[in-house]
Amino acid sequence: MSNSIDWFKKNLFNGWLNSVLTVVCFYLVIKFGAGVIQWLFIDSVWEGTSQTCRQADGACLVFIKEKFLFILFGFYPREIIWRPITGVFIFCLLLFLTMNRKFWSKKLIYGWFLSFIVMAILLKGGVLGFVPVDSDKWGGLPLTLILATVGLIFSYPLGILLALGRRSEMPIIKSFSVIYIEIIRGVPLISVLFMSSVVFPLFLPEGMVINKVFRAQVAIIMFISAYMAEVVRGGLQAIPKGQYEAAQALGLGYWQSMVKIILPQALRVVIPPTVNTAIGMFKDTSLVIIIALFDLMYTTKASLQDPNWLGFTLEAYAFVACIYFIFCFSMSRFSQRLEADIKSKQEH
Amino acid sequence: MSGPMIKIQNLNKWYGDFHVLKDVNLDVQKSEKIVICGPSGSGKSTLIRCMNRLEIHQKGSLIVDGIELTDDVKNLEIVRREVGMVFQHFNLFPHLTILENLTLAPRWVRKMSKKDAVELAMHYLERVQISEQAHKYPGQLSGGQQQRVAIARSLCMKPKIMLFDEPTSALDPEMVKEVLDVMVSLADDGMTMLCVTHEMGFAKSVADRVIFMDAGTIVEENNPEDFFSNPQHERTKEFLGQILH
Amino acid sequence: MNASFLRDARNRAIIFQIMAILIIFFIGNFLYSNVSANLERQNIASGFGFFSKEAGFEIAETMINYGSQDSYLKALAVGALNTIKVSLIGNIFAIILGIIVGVMRLSSNWMIEKLSKGYIEVIRNIPLLLQLYFVYAIFVDIFPSVRQALNPFYGVYLSNRGVVIPSISDHVANNWIFLAHFVGLVGSFFWFKKCNKIFEETGVMKARYLPSLFFIFIPPLLVWGGFGFPLTWDIPQLTGFNFSGGITISPEFSSLLVGLVLYTSAFNAEIVRSGINSVKKGQIEAASALGLKPRLTLSLVVLPQALRVIIPPLTSQVLNLTKNSSLAVAIAYPDFLNVSNTALNQTGQAIEVITLVIIVYLSFSLISSLFMNWYNKKVALVER
């Protein structure tokens, strides 16, 4: 390992100070851990009403039991709630498979494609005898996943195009790409969401109305594509000039050399930062609460407005934090493993 | 002072479960030039890195210029001032000029004034014939030039012993000679040198003793003529057969 | 001749770009006509004239004097100042905390290393908005009312109305104390220079930091004593239903600050750690072999190289925190975006307001890019 971490550990943190710190930390951890266990398991209330909960000291798990379907699925009709549950389950299954390189193959891509159709059918209904459900009623986790996934599917190619445009030698194309990327990256996502909410309708001819979810989705796509563009640009820069030259020498045209030679290498090299951008986007979907879309964040907040169940903010937030954490943490571990894989291949 | 410059007795080192140095015994006299060779993984680099405690031995004793290498920090400081090291990958400080690379330790460790340190540095830069690059940065020099600078940097601390850890292994073939020439002239000036290297020509012309290590032990040691013409052990013969062709 | 004209690569590029311009022009025209028609239909004004109109809304926290009768322009300025305030303070704390946690990640103490790793992983994998709501909920739901306020340190009170801390009261001694501080600072600066000069000439490095601290703190102490140790701090006291004296920091600002600092510090910590990690082991070995003690190796060899790797991504995080401060709209802190949003809702002039928002945030972006470029040029390693 050619790094200085070991030297740091040995030389800067040694001796009696260490032992004292360990003891203090240990004590704090035990105290905190005991407190959490006490709150979450020992004193927690599993059965009863909100009255029972308020009288007890521990976590109100009854609240979670009452509300988890709403938090997870929003206003989706209760009778057919098995449909979004199945959809989310399929999604998680595919995500789990994708995070293991062993399963990467053409079949996986077909699998994703197929499951998108299946998930769309399950959510929307209207065919195969499923009762149709308007997109207004989609909420909670499915909405968050849709925003994130569709966002990724469209922002990735758009980002690639922008990155190529930025490296283009044609001044118009280059300036357009640069202006787009720098403006989008310079402003907060919220402002882009506001823009899509407010400005989008102004751009449309009279009478045309666009769905709120669609507007938010476009905003997310436009926003993330600028960040993807920078990631891809890093990959393109990492490819030695010799590759471009070899492709040209072989007589390949611009698009051919890009698609067949350069992009496969460039995109592979930047898989870790790409995944990190995707994780960031997943977290950013929570911002759609600000334009009143019923994503996971909104349903959580809404569940706290129920007059019968006031005051259980800790339970609600902890619950949804766990959900976000599970998704983001698994993806980040995946990205770290990929990075380690790539590094070990390079060091040979 | 009488007695050997370096005295190693029953030196043992483990990396976890791997026993990398097994009961090594070695005496190095003043002004002696020793070349250590052997297959990779034999522990030769580890052995010389123990001599300035870049690696820590677990058993046995290592005494450099009368000072035993233990956890004693003060002793270690003294030893590190007396022992210079040249690395396979040069390890010049990229953010400092050549001159600053050389004056860093004399100013901060030996507490020399800037003027004296620069004078000293220029003297050694001329010694390794690279004084015109004094104000360049390492990134602007070739491998051979960088390694010569690295040697000059160690010499600025006026060490009594110089350790070389495969100094030419990372160099392009045409630059190996310029570095070896510097090492030869150092040897001629009476420096005590321990050199891990595959350059057998250097060993033949400069070494007082050639040591062959394999699997953590010293298998054979002899003067160069006898070592190369009449190796005693099987493993030595095998090794020499592989590298001399 | 037509054939070879079209095959010339330069001509193709020009034709392609002309087509691109035409497409952009047509789309632009289409959008523009729609926008004008829609704005006209909805009777919305155009132009930036509304800046001088009366705003008509109050702002909860202001750094300058402002009332609802002031202009929109002033309201937006208040918002911008609020954004700058929370970004500046937030970034300072986020960097400090990031350095602390980053160094903890390098500790040989297993407990500390794992704790800091856990902190970073948890914070980075939960959306910032959720963390903000959480911290805000602690203030608003969990903290006690003012009369039962928590008192963690002397003079500091936490309640659901915010944080109250002591402030510096008006006293004639204050000016002299600040002057003494300033003189001390100048003195320590010269002391530093003197020590460096002596080092250059003789190789002896005298103590630099301890005497500097002496310079900075002893003279003010003496001045304070000279005035008879007057109480120049305004310690908050609970009078009736509220605190008098001291400074009250709103729960909105506090939770925004805490949330932003915790979140950004986790990213900063990783940046610090990977920066130190990037310095190759060989560098430290060479420095040790030359006899440099660990502290010198750190300051002369490791840190200069580590900082080159740390500063660029750190600058990005500074910009990120500034952009993330726009989440203030979720917990009703009147930052620039929040105020612009109000202005937009009231005037309906979306295009103008959004243009202003873009310009303001882009200028933050530009400043940080300029800094980064300057820094990179300054410390670039010289290579062939």
Side-chain angles (χ1 to χ4, degrees):
Chain A
M1 254 210 306
S2 58
N3 63 51
S4 6
I5 284 193
D6 299 318
W7 175 84
F8 250 84
K9 290 190 177 188
K10 253 194 311 189
N11 281 288
L12 297 187
F13 294 99
N14 243 332
W16 60 269
L17 182 64
N18 247 351
S19 334
V20 168
L21 283 175
T22 312
V23 169
V24 168
C25 287
F26 198 64
Y27 171 71
L28 288 173
V29 168
I30 294 291
K31 252 201 132 192
F32 182 71
V36 169
I37 294 180
Q38 179 97 3
W39 181 78
L40 195 55
F41 295 108
I42 302 179
D43 287 340
S44 57
V45 182
W46 292 85
E47 298 287 341
T49 64
S50 58
Q51 275 294 76
T52 339
C53 270
R54 266 182 259 276
Q55 283 161 359
D57 282 328
C60 186
L61 296 178
V62 192
F63 174 80
I64 303 290
K65 266 180 18 182
E66 285 284 321
K67 295 285 175 185
F68 83 95
L69 274 181
F70 177 71
I71 294 178
L72 286 177
F73 300 107
F75 290 113
Y76 208 89
R78 282 288 176 276
E79 327 77 70
I80 37 176
I81 202 132
W82 65 269
R83 280 164 46 183
I85 293 181
T86 318
V88 170
F89 181 74
I90 296 177
F91 184 89
C92 292
L93 185 65
L94 275 170
L95 197 63
F96 179 72
L97 290 176
T98 314
M99 294 203 289
N100 199 332
R101 279 186 100 162
K102 283 199 296 239
F103 295 114
W104 284 10
S105 68
K106 268 229 156 79
K107 272 200 267 182
L108 189 61
I109 302 188
Y110 289 142
W112 273 107
F113 199 60
L114 196 62
S115 15
F116 278 137
I117 302 181
V118 170
M119 288 188 272
I121 294 179
L122 280 172
L123 266 182
K124 179 89 191 167
V127 292
L128 296 180
F130 287 148
V131 175
V133 178
D134 232 4
S135 61
D136 294 351
K137 294 253 178 0
W138 302 0
L141 191 55
L143 186 60
T144 296
L145 290 176
I146 289 175
L147 288 171
T149 318
V150 175
L152 184 61
I153 292 176
F154 282 96
S155 65
Y156 195 51
L158 189 54
I160 295 176
L161 286 175
L162 283 167
L164 291 175
R166 188 163 185 168
R167 282 171 63 91
S168 162
E169 279 162 5
M170 297 189 266
I172 303 285
I173 307 290
K174 184 172 183 167
S175 347
F176 177 74
S177 306
V178 170
I179 292 176
Y180 179 91
I181 293 175
E182 289 305 318
I183 290 188
I184 298 276
R185 275 165 50 99
V187 300
L189 174 56
I190 291 199
S191 59
V192 178
L193 282 172
F194 276 149
M195 284 183 232
S196 80
S197 226
V198 168
V199 173
F200 213 124
L202 285 178
F203 281 145
L204 298 172
E206 190 181 339
M208 203 169 153
V209 172
I210 294 284
N211 188 314
K212 218 166 32 163
V213 175
F214 185 78
R215 275 182 263 155
Q217 185 70 81
V218 168
I220 292 180
I221 291 173
M222 287 181 65
F223 188 73
I224 297 293
S225 60
Y227 289 83
M228 283 293 185
E230 285 298 279
V231 170
V232 172
R233 187 168 81 107
L236 291 171
Q237 278 175 333
I239 304 297
K241 204 151 172 248
Q243 293 290 309
Y244 294 91
E245 292 172 348
Q248 280 178 327
L250 284 171
L252 292 170
Y254 176 78
W255 287 109
Q256 280 180 313
S257 52
M258 276 302 156
V259 170
K260 289 193 155 55
I261 314 276
I262 306 295
L263 282 178
Q265 295 184 58
L267 294 180
R268 170 175 254 120
V269 165
V270 291
I271 288 182
T274 306
V275 175
N276 285 338
T277 308
I279 296 174
M281 177 181 58
F282 184 76
K283 289 187 290 178
D284 285 342
T285 58
S286 57
L287 264 63
V288 299
I289 183 178
I290 309 235
I291 52 171
L293 268 183
F294 284 98
D295 78 316
L296 194 55
M297 199 68 240
Y298 200 142
T299 53
T300 309
K301 272 224 121 187
S303 71
L304 289 170
Q305 314 283 21
D306 186 344
N308 291 327
W309 293 94
L310 288 176
F312 296 110
T313 39
L314 194 54
E315 285 84 347
Y317 286 153
F319 178 66
V320 78
C322 286
I323 297 176
Y324 275 113
F325 184 78
I326 291 174
F327 276 101
C328 293
F329 186 65
S330 350
M331 286 195 279
S332 105
R333 286 286 287 234
F334 168 61
S335 155
Q336 281 169 7
R337 262 180 292 141
L338 272 179
E339 213 165 343
D341 267 348
I342 292 181
K343 259 222 182 96
S344 67
K345 284 207 184 111
Q346 277 174 348
E347 262 157 29
H348 284 145
Chain B
M1 64 145 275
S2 57
M5 202 61 157
I6 303 179
K7 190 169 179 62
I8 304 178
Q9 283 181 302
N10 294 326
L11 198 68
N12 278 283
K13 180 177 169 57
W14 287 264
Y15 277 132
D17 284 338
F18 178 52
H19 199 172
V20 59
L21 290 174
K22 300 173 184 156
D23 281 324
V24 175
N25 287 288
L26 181 65
D27 282 354
V28 180
Q29 306 296 334
K30 190 166 177 336
S31 289
E32 219 187 333
K33 338 266 177 242
I34 304 210
V35 165
I36 307 177
C37 62
S40 58
S42 54
K44 49 193 199 301
S45 277
T46 314
L47 178 61
I48 64 164
R49 284 158 66 92
C50 284
M51 294 185 201
N52 65 355
R53 217 163 164 80
L54 284 182
E55 305 281 358
I56 299 177
H57 59 276
Q58 282 95 14
K59 229 173 104 173
S61 80
L62 205 161
I63 304 177
V64 174
D65 199 17
I67 303 170
E68 174 156 8
L69 280 177
T70 58
D71 285 327
D72 187 322
V73 173
K74 275 278 172 278
N75 283 348
L76 181 58
E77 282 172 24
I78 302 175
V79 167
R80 288 224 172 121
R81 272 182 254 146
E82 306 304 318
V83 176
M85 183 153 202
V86 176
F87 300 85
Q88 181 178 356
H89 293 288
F90 335 134
N91 289 337
L92 292 180
F93 305 131
H95 59 295
L96 303 174
T97 62
I98 302 301
L99 196 61
E100 286 165 351
N101 263 274
L102 265 68
T103 56
L104 183 74
R107 289 177 70 187
W108 289 91
V109 180
R110 287 213 191 274
K111 316 239 183 262
M112 291 176 92
S113 75
K114 186 170 178 184
K115 196 154 94 44
D116 292 340
V118 169
E119 218 181 291
L120 180 72
M122 290 309 296
H123 166 78
Y124 280 110
L125 281 178
E126 273 153 26
R127 181 90 165 54
V128 301
Q129 294 167 7
I130 208 163
S131 52
E132 72 280 3
Q133 313 282 8
H135 297 287
K136 294 236 177 92
Y137 284 87
Q140 296 173 288
L141 268 52
S142 73
Q145 290 171 320
Q146 289 190 52
Q147 193 63 299
R148 284 188 278 145
V149 169
I151 296 175
R153 180 176 66 173
S154 304
L155 290 174
C156 279
M157 289 298 281
K158 304 251 181 75
K160 296 195 184 136
I161 304 168
M162 282 286 279
L163 305 173
F164 293 85
D165 187 0
E166 305 214 33
T168 56
S169 300
L171 295 175
D172 292 332
E174 67 270 16
M175 296 194 242
V176 169
K177 181 173 184 303
E178 64 192 68
V179 174
L180 289 180
D181 285 344
V182 169
M183 288 165 70
V184 166
S185 87
L186 256 187
D188 288 341
D189 280 348
M191 174 68 77
T192 313
M193 289 164 63
L194 276 99
C195 198
V196 173
T197 183
H198 295 298
E199 295 289 329
M200 292 304 139
F202 174 77
K204 280 185 197 161
S205 61
V206 162
D208 296 315
R209 246 192 302 168
V210 180
I211 293 178
F212 173 66
M213 275 186 80
D214 190 16
T217 56
I218 295 180
V219 172
E220 190 170 334
E221 54 182 298
N222 217 332
N223 60 67
E225 301 88 58
D226 293 331
F227 182 85
F228 287 110
S229 58
N230 204 5
Q232 302 291 315
H233 284 84
E234 269 312 304
R235 274 140 71 187
T236 323
K237 290 185 199 160
E238 206 182 306
F239 177 71
L240 287 177
Q242 284 170 335
I243 65 164
L244 298 171
H245 34 250
Chain C
M1 304 224 297
N2 268 343
S4 42
F5 177 77
L6 276 178
R7 276 150 75 146
D8 184 337
R10 280 172 308 171
N11 291 334
R12 290 177 92 150
I14 295 179
I15 293 179
F16 189 71
Q17 288 177 82
I18 292 182
M19 282 182 8
I21 296 182
L22 285 176
I23 294 178
I24 294 178
F25 182 70
F26 277 124
I27 295 181
N29 201 27
F30 173 70
L31 293 177
Y32 180 73
S33 54
N34 282 340
V35 169
S36 329
N38 283 327
L39 286 178
E40 229 184 276
R41 233 181 353 102
Q42 296 172 26
N43 253 329
I44 297 178
S46 267
F48 288 91
F50 73 95
F51 272 173
S52 45
K53 285 215 303 216
E54 189 180 304
F57 60 93
E58 289 291 340
I59 299 182
E61 296 185 51
T62 66
M63 280 179 71
I64 56 179
N65 277 330
Y66 169 84
S68 61
Q69 74 285 1
D70 285 316
S71 67
Y72 274 109
L73 188 63
K74 195 154 190 209
L76 290 167
V78 169
L81 284 172
N82 281 341
T83 291
I84 293 177
K85 179 169 87 166
V86 76
S87 305
L88 209 59
I89 301 179
N91 272 314
I92 293 175
F93 281 117
I95 291 179
I96 295 176
L97 187 58
I99 294 177
I100 294 176
V101 177
V103 171
M104 276 169 74
R105 277 285 273 132
L106 301 168
S107 170
S108 66
N109 187 322
W110 182 87
M111 193 93 244
I112 292 193
E113 200 234 311
K114 293 296 173 217
L115 277 180
S116 50
K117 185 160 198 228
Y119 167 87
I120 294 175
E121 286 302 325
V122 167
I123 300 255
R124 292 205 309 175
N125 287 310
I126 296 179
L128 173 57
L129 190 57
L130 179 55
Q131 296 183 41
L132 280 180
Y133 280 138
F134 194 76
V135 178
Y136 191 55
I138 291 181
F139 266 96
V140 169
D141 291 338
I142 299 186
F143 274 0
S145 64
V146 172
R147 299 194 111 197
Q148 283 132 8
L150 304 169
N151 191 350
F153 313 111
Y154 175 66
V156 175
Y157 294 94
L158 303 171
S159 71
N160 57 15
R161 294 270 210 98
V163 180
V164 189
I165 57 174
S167 65
I168 301 179
S169 60
D170 272 327
H171 193 289
V172 67
N174 280 332
N175 289 331
W176 293 104
I177 293 180
F178 282 131
L179 188 64
H181 264 308
F182 182 71
V183 168
L185 224 85
V186 171
S188 66
F189 176 71
F190 280 113
W191 173 252
F192 242 89
K193 285 198 91 170
K194 181 138 198 267
C195 286
N196 285 338
K197 189 142 188 281
I198 295 181
F199 176 65
E200 216 169 283
E201 277 160 18
T202 67
V204 177
M205 177 57 91
K206 299 184 129 165
R208 285 182 302 183
Y209 293 102
L210 215 58
S212 297
L213 285 174
F214 184 87
F215 276 124
I216 295 178
F217 287 111
I218 301 296
L221 229 69
L222 292 173
V223 171
W224 194 33
F227 276 92
F229 295 110
L231 203 66
T232 58
W233 290 94
D234 193 1
I235 311 289
Q237 304 286 344
L238 182 59
T239 53
F241 284 100
N242 221 330
F243 282 98
S244 55
I247 303 179
T248 306
I249 307 176
S250 71
E252 287 79 22
F253 181 80
S254 314
S255 34
L256 184 63
L257 189 68
V258 169
L260 286 173
V261 168
L262 288 181
Y263 188 73
T264 313
S265 67
F267 291 89
N268 288 347
E270 276 300 290
I271 291 173
V272 167
R273 188 185 77 95
S274 74
I276 296 185
N277 200 8
S278 72
V279 180
K280 296 208 176 64
K281 199 168 172 211
Q283 291 289 303
I284 299 182
E285 289 185 346
S288 307
L290 284 169
L292 284 167
K293 295 194 216 186
R295 258 206 347 198
L296 281 178
T297 306
L298 184 65
S299 61
L300 294 172
V301 175
V302 176
L303 276 182
Q305 297 186 59
L307 277 175
R308 281 168 170 78
V309 176
I310 289 177
I311 300 283
L314 200 67
T315 314
S316 292
Q317 286 304 323
V318 166
L319 186 61
N320 275 346
L321 190 143
T322 309
K323 288 191 288 177
N324 283 335
S325 68
S326 60
L327 262 64
V329 72
I331 53 173
Y333 173 73
D335 81 317
F336 180 69
L337 191 72
N338 200 351
V339 172
S340 324
N341 200 28
T342 312
L344 191 156
N345 285 332
Q346 283 190 190
T347 64
Q349 298 196 237
I351 308 281
E352 287 83 355
V353 172
I354 286 182
T355 310
L356 187 65
V357 166
I358 292 181
I359 292 178
V360 168
Y361 279 105
L362 272 186
S363 28
F364 288 132
S365 209
L366 191 67
I367 294 174
S368 82
S369 293
L370 285 175
F371 170 76
M372 191 138 71
N373 283 336
W374 168 82
Y375 179 78
N376 276 335
K377 276 216 184 86
K378 185 160 173 273
V379 299
L381 289 178
V382 183
E383 286 171 4
R384 294 220 245 210

